[in-house]
Amino acid sequence: MEVSFAKEIEKLKLGQGDQFHGEGILAVTKALLQSGVSYVGGYQGSPVSHLIDVMVQAAPQMRELGVHVEACTNEAAAAAMLGASIMYPVRGAVAWKSIVGTNVASDALANLASPGLMGGALIIVGEDFGEGSSVIQERSHAYAMKSTLWLMDPRPNLPSIVNAVEKSFELSEASNTPVMMELRIRACHVQGSFTAKDNIAPAISMTQVLAEPAPHDYERLAHPPVTFGHERKKSGARMQAARAFIRENALNEVFEGQTHKDVGLIVQGGLYNALLRALAELGLADESGNCDIPIMVLNVVYPLVPDEILGFAADKRAVLVLEEGQPEYIENEVGTILRRGKSRTILAGKDILPMAGEYTAQVMLDGTAAFLRQHLPAVGNILTDGQYRDEVQALIDQTASLLRNPVPPRPPGFCTGCPERPFFTALKLTEREIGKVHYSADIGCHAFATFAPFNFGNSILGYGMSLASNASVASFQAKPPLAVMGDGGFWHNGLLTGVTSRLLNGGDGVLVIMKNGYTSATGTQEIISSPDPAMKLKAAEKSATQGERTIEDALQGVGVKWQRTVHTYGVAKMRDTLLEAFASPFKGLKVIVAEGECQLERQRRIKPIRAKALAAGERVERLRFGIDEDTCTGDHSCIRLSGCPTLTVKTATDPLKTDPVAHVTNGCVGCGLCGEVAHAATLCPSFWRAQLISNPSWWDRAKAWMNTTLNGVPQP
């Protein structure tokens, strides 16, 4: 990764009494060090990538403390790391994106929770839920309940988040149970401050090693017959210990109402800020958080403590549970507690609030207002929620009126110069000749090809699962199905789940692996086949995609007989290779490795090289592409085939041309796709290529003078 986190790493060194200023996920990283962790691992993914990235780059500082840091190849590997805390009194933490990462890690989590722990274990999950999410809309809560893992959901401010991290380890050790902590997107990126503590060097670590391994203890294995006893402990002694710790340490908070105490609100900690905003708009709370209605904040959403729920509801006519997502796990458990406690308090929740979707301030405003109208009409009937909605709608209408024409929806797309875009251009050209093929998509940047102008994809089943997802399709399709995955997905899951399974069963199909050198979609983290620093330096401004361990070697090692490696920017060659694969008489797995370095990483790498060369007065050359508008026919096939964001349209200067002409903006990075498309698809010859030379040599100047003299104008 070419991005530096040097500033963030400095914040991890803050000591007792220092003020930490920053975002939520970095505060979590600091809290881990303050808690004396022995090891940290995880798999990248928004919104927790920052934690892993900073830890990996801070490896030298971590070694000084004795903390082992590991960038895992998938979430299952990360979860399995916590096995160290089963037999040793060491604290460990792992992180990943949820819900998809928790799905991958679920087997290891179940086997971790069964025998229980000796040391504290914390699983930090980025709960990527709601309107800004990039994954399926499910919750981690189900996994916590299924495997009996305690689930923290702290209020989204830095002191609460840091306290939750520190208390999570204590809770884990007090109950011999792993603890999950879910952080939504806004919590991970919330800005704030807290008073730091000294980092704690763990007693058992890289620098304080044990002379002997732990003794064999069959009770510590997740294996029958002891698993039957584990199950009783999970719902018995461990659950009781957890509830006692939660109650004694006041992990859940109650904010007493100033005025209206005969109703109450029970809310997940992560939703607290949005709820306060909603109550403020209703005139029931001020900017400091003082509220007229009692609020119970569940910083621990599983397990609930019956005594706390019954105590909060005891003097109230009705309570409203604000729980994001479905099913209504918390509401159902609160209802069970109230019923078993013979409480007369009325319970409201999903009967008023939406069953699914993100609970924004607007959603909670509407739900709370409806609740108060039913159960506190003296207040509910004078609320100003209607006025608030009218104000919001007025702003929407005003915005619309300022726009001359409606703004068309613009789906996300590939970065400028992305090496994956040329492949999809080649695939469109291939389908012109052989017709449509079944396309199994995958998780990664290449999923942008599901949007216009490419519109590819029949299914997305998971990270690295594209080839496995069309195994049965191959049996009833005339043409072999196509699967596409990235190199990150290949190492995460695709090699075993897809490639080896297809080889085992002798199935037909075409697999394309996007080899850009990184897991680019999650922040360009390095993988096992990433080029090392020496190779990057050697490559200079050329593409750097290959390390010592290659995808091609792995494919050959497991027995792939038909494989090709093609540079993605060669559109014509890629098209011909695809045609060869689909027409091949070989009945079996055919793999095309589409090679091209992630453009973001390439630009981050070469910009300092260019800047250094320019400062030294050295010759620097870069490519620039453009369009001769006199030649452009206005057909715009080039745009439909490439989708490059710098390839757009403008009004022609020729008054006789009524249609806009194609135009390349200054954002062009010189990848050359536009010219390749024009050549491969036999489009109009309107593209030109220029070499922009800084600090030119005498020969460069001589050639430029000759061009100008002989032709009258510089020739591109």
Side-chain angles (χ1 to χ4, degrees), residues 618-685:
E618 297 175 8
R619 181 183 185 278
V620 176
E621 177 184 322
R622 66 185 182 91
L623 295 178
R624 178 75 164 81
F625 290 82
I627 294 174
D628 179 4
E629 70 169 74
D630 292 333
T631 309
C632 177
T633 63
D635 173 69
H636 304 152
S637 290
C638 53
I639 296 176
R640 292 191 294 273
L641 283 170
S642 79
C644 176
T646 65
L647 184 55
T648 181
V649 294
K650 70 172 186 178
T651 303
T653 56
D654 185 348
L656 298 179
K657 285 190 174 182
T658 57
D659 293 329
V661 294
H663 172 65
V664 177
T665 70
N666 287 330
C668 173
V669 297
C671 72
L673 173 60
C674 48
E676 283 286 338
V677 172
H679 173 70
T682 320
L683 304 180
C684 68

Side-chain angles (χ1 to χ4, degrees), residues 22-25 27-28 153-165 181 183 186-194 253 255 269-273 276 297 299:
E23 66 173 4
I25 196 61
V28 171
D153 188 2
R155 287 194 290 140
N157 63 72
L158 266 58
S160 294
I161 292 172
V162 170
N163 181 66
V165 172
M181 185 170 74
L183 295 172
R186 291 183 178 87
C188 287
H189 299 305
V190 68
Q191 295 288 322
S193 62
F194 69 93
E253 303 169 280
F255 298 95
L271 302 182
Y272 178 74
N273 288 4
L276 275 189
V297 180
N299 293 309

Side-chain angles (χ1 to χ4, degrees), residues 157-494:
N157 63 72
L158 266 58
S160 294
I161 292 172
V162 170
N163 181 66
V165 172
E166 296 172 346
K167 290 298 182 182
S168 290
F169 284 111
E170 296 178 25
L171 172 60
S172 176
E173 291 162 346
S175 59
N176 308 117
T177 302
V179 175
M180 296 177 70
M181 185 170 74
E182 59 180 359
L183 295 172
R184 293 168 181 79
I185 298 173
R186 291 183 178 87
C188 287
H189 299 305
V190 68
Q191 295 288 322
S193 62
F194 69 93
T195 302
K197 302 175 185 176
D198 290 335
N199 296 332
I200 298 176
I204 301 174
S205 69
M206 296 169 62
T207 57
Q208 301 292 326
V209 299
L210 297 176
E212 298 291 336
H216 171 71
D217 183 356
Y218 195 82
E219 183 69 25
R220 293 283 183 179
L221 301 179
H223 194 271
V226 295
T227 49
F228 306 119
H230 293 168
E231 190 66 16
R232 287 191 293 272
K233 289 181 180 179
K234 286 198 293 185
S235 58
R238 296 180 198 168
M239 180 73 77
Q240 293 172 13
R243 284 172 168 162
F245 183 90
I246 294 166
R247 182 175 56 251
E248 292 166 5
N249 289 270
L251 298 188
N252 294 320
E253 303 169 280
V254 174
F255 298 95
E256 298 293 347
Q258 305 293 317
T259 310
H260 311 295
K261 299 190 177 184
D262 49 352
V263 295
L265 307 175
I266 300 177
V267 64
Q268 294 168 278
L271 302 182
Y272 178 74
N273 288 4
L275 174 61
L276 275 189
R277 170 66 187 275
L279 293 174
E281 292 294 343
L282 291 172
L284 298 174
D286 60 24
E287 294 179 355
S288 300
N290 300 310
C291 182
D292 293 343
I293 300 174
I295 301 175
M296 182 178 191
V297 180
L298 299 176
N299 293 309
V300 185
V301 292
Y302 182 79
L304 299 184
V305 181
D307 291 347
E308 291 184 345
I309 300 296
L310 291 170
F312 180 74
D315 58 348
K316 294 175 178 57
R317 182 190 314 166
V319 294
L320 172 66
V321 175
L322 297 106
E323 176 183 7
E324 187 175 62
Q326 55 85 30
E328 58 270 59
Y329 299 116
I330 299 173
E331 183 184 341
N332 286 338
E333 189 172 357
V334 170
T336 299
I337 291 170
L338 294 178
R339 177 176 58 81
R340 290 177 179 172
K342 297 181 173 53
S343 173
R344 295 180 179 273
T345 303
I346 298 171
L347 177 64
K350 297 287 187 183
D351 56 331
I352 294 175
L353 288 153
M355 177 61 76
E358 182 180 359
Y359 276 17
T360 61
Q362 177 68 62
V363 169
M364 288 195 279
L365 181 147
D366 293 338
T368 304
F371 168 74
L372 293 175
R373 288 194 178 94
Q374 288 185 29
H375 302 288
L376 198 63
V379 174
N381 291 335
I382 60 173
L383 293 177
T384 59
D385 54 309
Q387 179 183 345
Y388 176 74
R389 282 193 297 273
D390 291 343
E391 290 174 357
V392 172
Q393 188 59 48
L395 288 173
I396 294 173
D397 294 340
Q398 181 182 7
T399 301
S401 67
L402 294 174
L403 299 173
R404 295 181 180 179
N405 298 302
V407 177
R410 183 177 181 180
F414 297 102
C415 299
T416 302
C418 174
E420 298 183 359
R421 180 183 286 108
F423 165 77
F424 294 105
T425 298
L427 182 57
K428 291 191 80 168
L429 296 176
T430 301
E431 287 193 336
R432 285 183 177 182
E433 299 192 31
I434 66 171
K436 290 289 183 180
V437 298
H438 179 93
Y439 179 108
S440 296
D442 210 289
I443 302 297
C445 296
H446 37 84
F448 288 136
T450 60
F451 297 116
F454 300 113
N455 302 310
F456 287 123
N458 295 100
S459 65
I460 296 180
L461 267 292
Y463 196 26
M465 301 282 276
S466 58
L467 183 59
S469 71
N470 69 27
S472 57
V473 174
S475 67
F476 53 77
Q477 285 277 325
K479 290 189 287 286
L482 172 67
V484 174
M485 68 178 68
D487 41 6
F490 173 80
W491 293 118
H492 178 277
N493 205 351

Side-chain angles (χ1 to χ4, degrees), residues 653-713:
T653 56
D654 185 348
L656 298 179
K657 285 190 174 182
T658 57
D659 293 329
V661 294
H663 172 65
V664 177
T665 70
N666 287 330
C668 173
V669 297
C671 72
L673 173 60
C674 48
E676 283 286 338
V677 172
H679 173 70
T682 320
L683 304 180
C684 68
S686 57
F687 286 92
W688 50 259
R689 187 182 87 162
Q691 292 172 291
L692 304 183
I693 301 174
S694 301
N695 301 323
S697 65
W698 68 268
W699 177 240
D700 295 321
R701 295 179 186 278
K703 287 193 295 183
W705 178 83
M706 290 174 63
N707 280 334
T708 304
T709 302
L710 297 176
N711 299 296
V713 293

